[in-house]
Amino acid sequence: MSSTIIWTIVIIAGLGLLLAVILFLVARQFRVEEDPRIDEVEKVMPGANCGGCGFAGCRAFAEAAVKAPNLDNNYCPVGGNEVMQKVAAILGYEVKEKAPQAAVVRCNGSCANRPKTNVYDGAASCRVKAALYSGDTGCPFGCLGCGDCVNACQFGAIVMNPETGLPVVDESKCTACGACAKACPKGIIEIRPKGPRGMKLYVSCVNRDKGPVAKKACAAACIGCGLCAKTCTHGAVTVIDNVAYIDPAKCKLCRECEAVCPTGAIHSVGFPKPVDKEAVKKRIADRKAKAAEAAKAAEAAAQPVKKEENNG
Amino acid sequence: MAKITFNIGGVHPDDSKIAKDRPIEVLPLPQTVWVSMAQHLGAPAKPVVAVGDKVLAGQVIAEPGGFISAFVHSPVSGTVKSIAPRKDLAGNNMTHIEIAVEGDEWVEGVDLSDTLVTAIPEDRQAILDKIKACGVVGLGGATFPTHVKLNPAPGSVAECLIINGAECEPFLTSDYRIMLEKTKEIIVGAAIMQKVLGGCRCVIAIEDNKPEAISAMRKALGELGYSNMEVLPLMKKYPQGGEKQLIDAVMHRQVGSGALPISVGAVVQNMATALAVYEAVQKNKPLVTNTLTVTGDCLPVEKQHNYLFRIGMPLSYIAEYAGGVPGDAAKIVSGGPMMGKAIANLDACTVKGSSSLLYLSEAMTKRGEQSACIRCGKCAQACPMGLEPFLLYRLYKAGNTDELEKNAVHDCIECGCCLYSCPANIPLLDYIRQAKGQVLGIIRARAAAAKAAAEAAKTNEKK
Amino acid sequence: MDRILVSPNPHIHAPVSTRSLMRDVVIALLPASLVSVIYYGLPALVVFAVSIITCVGLEYLIERFLMHAPSTVGDLSAVVTGLLLAMNLPSSTPWWVVMIGAAVAIGVAKMTFGGIGQNVFNPALVGRVFLLVSFPAIMTTWVIPGGYFGADAVTGATPLGLVNEAILQGKSVTSVVGDFSYCDRLFTFMGGSAGEASVLALLAGWIYLLVRRVVRPHITVSIWATVAVISLIFWLCNPERFTDPLFNLLSGGMILGSCFMATDYVTSPMSTKGGIIFGVGIGFITMMIRYFGSYPEGVSFAILIMNATVPLINMFCHQKKYGRK
């Protein structure tokens, strides 16, 4: 009996040893030579494999980064500057600091603002819906509300608000990987800099219809009136195809555009207080009055000169 | 009972041809029509009139915007009010020409009489030019320009012209009515196309749920004395009217993936197209009218109609004329219940290919709650292309485009049989259509890349 | 409707749902259940009731408290599992054994895989086989019906059990088989599981399913054909050692298994070709177990073994595609 047990142990142990040796030899024989830095880079990556960098995953990013001559085209939006510093240290490259970014939803067509004209009864997917028709409201540009962006987000940073029917971005979780922006068939999600201390202004509408049409479909639509562009003293607002756009690089966060927008299409995020529209409007009026006075004075000053010129 | 039908898959929805005994009535003209520039498959047409122009019915108002495109004619006489974007039935903007109706004057040369003209012009090219000039497009659903289809690439030979009278979609009766009321015109139209294709065999295929149409066609064929043309009754099965399925049923041949029907010697044309060809070639009448059925399960039979409409009439106008939208209509469909488009905007206007205004009740059309796949395989049995929708659905969800292509997702004809037969109400087709789009995009990109590479190689060789 | 619906095509749906399919299966099983209740009496009724209630109740509890998912009890699939399990058990099975079997069927074979549509093995068969290996004495003692409603019933072995015993003892099988008339087998008076009482009632149910287009005949017919061919060859070679084709087709769980268990949607291949391979496999394994194995009955094991191959079969067997070779 005991000899049986001993033999069993011996045979199993021997078999194990033999297989281990074979495995070892095979592994040695077929080892693939790889740049060891790839592993090192991969280790410092966030490991989300989200594809936000434009590569298939963190490993693919690491391989590309090791091969690349510099890091200009390789940036991990999830890890941000911190991770990129580490990557740069491993590879001995320089890395340019990038301002932290987050997704913004450029649609304010909530159930209240944008009355429904029909009911969608197909598969719960924005892509399917967008391929079928313009959406269940009068606005053919806005959010379809099926949550493709929510499904695309790996970080739980975007959720549907059941009351408004619109997605809401949680900036503390958003890594700006851009998956939601890619998933949105209407292209209403934009990756924008988070702004100084998280403050930013953006136009929450992409409706390219003419003013009255847009306004009829949605109470909060950008009607392309251009008041914001006229008011902005920094040249940050442009109106193209009946939609205003605020250039984050030029915006100085003065909130004048927000105050003058007749439909409330311009949204502010991260400011400590809501905008005091009346105060801002008064400020603009004062400035305009001053400017007009200055212009008059300049005209008055210029007049004699002109005369002189004429005389001369 | 006819036994002939296509081989793979198919479903048997109740045919519900409630409006089949309602003769075709002519719709009176509205005050304004809006003519869409996207009346056909391919590039939208380009307007050739300006705001304020006076136009006559049958006058060209837009010319083809590409090789696969077609002329658009004014359906009415009057003044062009605007050329601007207007929402189509899906709510998307499309350029429309707005014409205020004044009287009903037609351009010169159009024969509006009912006399049958049987003498077919001799010159093949002249016939093709006439078909093109009259803006004839396929009226079976795809609205593919007819002159392109009747002019196959050099080297390919048409062996059989199939006139598609299957009308396999439930509810629709417009083809049935013209088969009864315009029998001889259709046959002459078919003979014209036969001539253009070089005198091949012609088969008029009709499903056996329309025995009156079969006998009327046979009788008229005997009276006209065409010998190289026959009527073929088919067993009722959806989607018999699908081009590929019809070729399988009639010729027992299958068109390869991505190939055109002409590759197996077939040309398929719809009944209404044959009528449009007749009117274009024999009567000089451009395609500005078509037949449309107002029907549905929540519409009493006395309120159902078959109408001869002009393109550009607002759907809401037709609905009003027919007695208004029934209160219990949950969905309004343009086209049949299997492949038609749900109308999101009833202010949209009729186009050349409009075939119905179908009111469906909530009980009939509301989708059931989706549940888990029980792997019954009913979708695979129903698919007339022999695909496996359950598999394609799973692959799409997994984002596996390589496997999707291997499993021929791009062969899908979007007939809806899979979703129709799914006991778990899984929106198979909704997703498969997306997958098909993705795979077709990949295939096209690959072809373009291969072409570019070949050209690059050529230029290198020259150097 | 104040707002109209918009959806992609198709806009109509066939009058079929998971629930309606399962309801049809229940209806198809009713005649055979009724016959077994008539012949085996109250004990059979208890087995049916306990099995169905346990299956449905457990599915509900697992979905409610473990999966936190909406309940799928309404689709009647648990009822079908319970009914099929009961039909696979002897009517003399104690209620607590039935409960264990039902718990294994739903809890282990179905819900651990994710519920309806996800399971690899037929839940009722897993339950049955679990009981067969755990309580062999209970599971192989069969009540031989003597009269109506369980009167004059005596316990004994099934025909297949007797044959197996005879083979093991080296006796001629003809002497055993001769004791059973085919007429009896067709109608009833067979010792066996509760649901195997009447072949005719089972076949009637199967034909109902065919007419309602719930199942297609290819799997069932290919099982029968394989069993018939294999047993014919062996029987012709040595009628003393091997049983005849008709005996094999009509005895034991063959009809119940081939008509209702092998055709289970979830655990059978999707394509027609795959279904035929699946059926042939079941027939072959069944006959090998019956002729050479130590168990008298092989259908359950054969179906379970072939269940395991279904993902592989699905991978290699596809529908014939239009216009492709």
Side-chain angles (χ1 to χ4, degrees), chain C residues 110-140:
Chain C
K110 187 177 178 190
M111 301 316 284
T112 41
F113 288 91
I116 184 166
Q118 306 290 321
N119 48 302
V120 178
F121 299 102
N122 187 319
L125 277 182
V126 171
R128 191 249 163 130
V129 167
F130 180 83
L131 294 184
L132 189 64
V133 295
S134 308
F135 308 97
I138 294 171
M139 290 295 291
T140 49

Side-chain angles (χ1 to χ4, degrees), chain B residues 8 15 27 62 87 89 95 107 144 149 164 187 217 228-229 283 326 367 380-382 392 415 447:
Chain B
I8 304 171
D15 68 354
L27 276 175
K87 286 188 167 54
L89 57 83
T95 308
V107 289
F144 189 83
K149 209 171 177 180
N164 182 357
I187 291 173
M217 278 284 168
N228 201 14
M229 199 183 282
K283 301 275 194 175
R367 289 195 181 173
Q381 288 159 42
L392 301 176
C415 63

Side-chain angles (χ1 to χ4, degrees), chain B residues 8 244 248 253-257 327 329-331 333 337-344 360 362 364-367 371-378 380-381 384-388 390-391 407-408 410-411 414 416 419-425 429-430 433, chain C residues 1-22 70 72 75 77 114-120 212-216 218 264-272 310-311 314-315 317-324:
Chain B
I8 304 171
K244 290 181 170 169
D248 188 19
R253 290 183 195 173
Q254 295 190 345
V255 185
S257 172
K331 193 190 273 175
V333 179
M338 292 299 287
M339 278 192 85
K341 277 195 144 183
I343 299 171
L360 294 174
E362 187 168 350
M364 186 150 217
T365 191
K366 181 111 172 82
R367 289 195 181 173
S371 55
C373 173
I374 54 168
R375 299 197 240 166
C376 61
K378 285 193 185 296
Q381 288 159 42
M385 295 304 287
L387 310 180
E388 288 152 307
F390 62 90
L391 179 67
N407 286 287
H410 48 292
D411 283 2
E414 305 181 21
L419 181 41
Y420 172 82
S421 52
C422 178
N425 291 306
L429 177 58
D430 297 10
R433 200 190 323 259
Chain C
M1 292 292 293
D2 44 344
R3 287 199 219 106
I4 56 168
L5 297 171
V6 176
S7 77
N9 68 312
H11 306 292
I12 51 175
H13 194 271
V16 58
S17 64
T18 305
R19 193 191 162 96
S20 79
L21 292 173
M22 294 299 166
T72 57
D75 65 24
S77 63
I116 184 166
Q118 306 290 321
N119 48 302
V120 178
R212 297 274 297 161
R213 291 173 186 271
V214 174
V215 296
R216 289 184 298 154
H218 62 298
D264 170 35
Y265 287 144
V266 180
T267 55
S268 62
M270 304 271 221
S271 60
T272 312
V310 167
N314 275 340
M315 200 180 284
C317 294
H318 293 284
Q319 295 286 108
K320 161 102 185 59
K321 289 187 175 62
Y322 179 100
R324 282 171 185 255

Side-chain angles (χ1 to χ4, degrees), chain B residues 251-305:
Chain B
M251 300 172 72
H252 309 293
R253 290 183 195 173
Q254 295 190 345
V255 185
S257 172
L260 292 171
I262 193 70
S263 65
V264 294
V267 173
V268 181
Q269 294 287 1
N270 176 265
M271 279 293 164
T273 318
L275 181 60
V277 165
Y278 166 82
E279 289 187 336
V281 177
Q282 308 293 73
K283 301 275 194 175
N284 286 323
K285 191 182 158 209
L287 179 51
V288 291
T289 61
N290 193 4
T291 320
L292 160 150
T293 311
V294 177
T295 181
D297 68 317
C298 52
L299 203 61
V301 64
E302 66 274 8
K303 282 183 136 185
Q304 306 213 352
H305 300 278

